[in-house]
Amino acid sequence: MKSDRPADFQRSRLRERLESIRGRSEKSTSWRSAAQHLGRLINREGFVPIRTKIAQEDLAFLANAREDVIAFAELGLRLIELHQPREAGGISSDPDNPIRRCRACMWRWPCPTFRAIDDAIDR
């Protein structure tokens, strides 16, 4: 059982990090409508000269947003590299459409991991 402890620690550490990112994101304010308005205020130097009040939650979110987005993009790319289709081999009743399985988890393609990524990205 000792060999399970490092994996459990890693899993709980990753879960805590992801929950922290989600929590900061949920507490912060969406900048979508503000970005549309601010985009029209860009000056000749390429900046928006603004003075605004930023909530503590927004500042906490913005402080790590770039690194968090990069980490999530890398995670997504690594997962789709791992979870790719491959032919399952064997005899098929439809040789033109052979059964395919995920190279990593061996579920029928598309596997649950790939579907979860696809659903999250398409949101």
Side-chain angles (χ1 to χ4, degrees):
M1 283 305 245
K2 286 186 178 181
S3 64
D4 289 342
R5 288 186 182 166
D8 288 343
F9 174 74
Q10 284 180 314
R11 187 173 186 276
S12 65
R13 181 181 58 82
L14 290 172
R15 178 173 284 285
E16 287 174 14
R17 171 98 192 269
L18 293 171
E19 287 174 352
S20 170
I21 292 169
R22 181 175 59 188
R24 281 196 320 265
S25 301
E26 289 172 346
K27 289 178 185 175
S28 68
T29 304
S30 173
W31 284 65
R32 185 178 308 268
S33 61
Q36 291 173 349
H37 171 71
L38 294 172
R40 295 188 299 262
L41 301 176
I42 295 175
N43 63 21
R44 289 181 198 150
E45 290 82 31
F47 296 98
V48 178
I50 61 167
R51 283 187 273 162
T52 187
K53 294 180 182 179
I54 298 177
Q56 182 177 355
E57 292 83 9
D58 293 338
L59 196 55
F61 173 77
L62 292 172
N64 295 310
R66 181 180 182 276
E67 288 79 14
D68 292 342
V69 169
I70 290 170
F72 275 115
E74 288 174 357
L75 170 66
L77 291 169
R78 289 178 69 187
L79 285 172
I80 62 173
E81 278 298 313
L82 286 171
H83 293 270
Q84 294 185 41
R86 73 177 186 107
E87 289 192 24
I91 299 171
S92 175
S93 59
D94 185 4
D96 292 333
N97 295 310
I99 294 174
R100 298 186 317 163
R101 295 200 177 273
C102 177
R103 185 170 69 180
C105 63
M106 297 306 293
W107 281 71
R108 284 191 84 163
W109 187 257
C111 70
T113 301
F114 186 85
R115 284 195 308 262
I117 294 168
D118 189 43
D119 290 346
I121 299 300
D122 281 345
R123 250 191 246 171

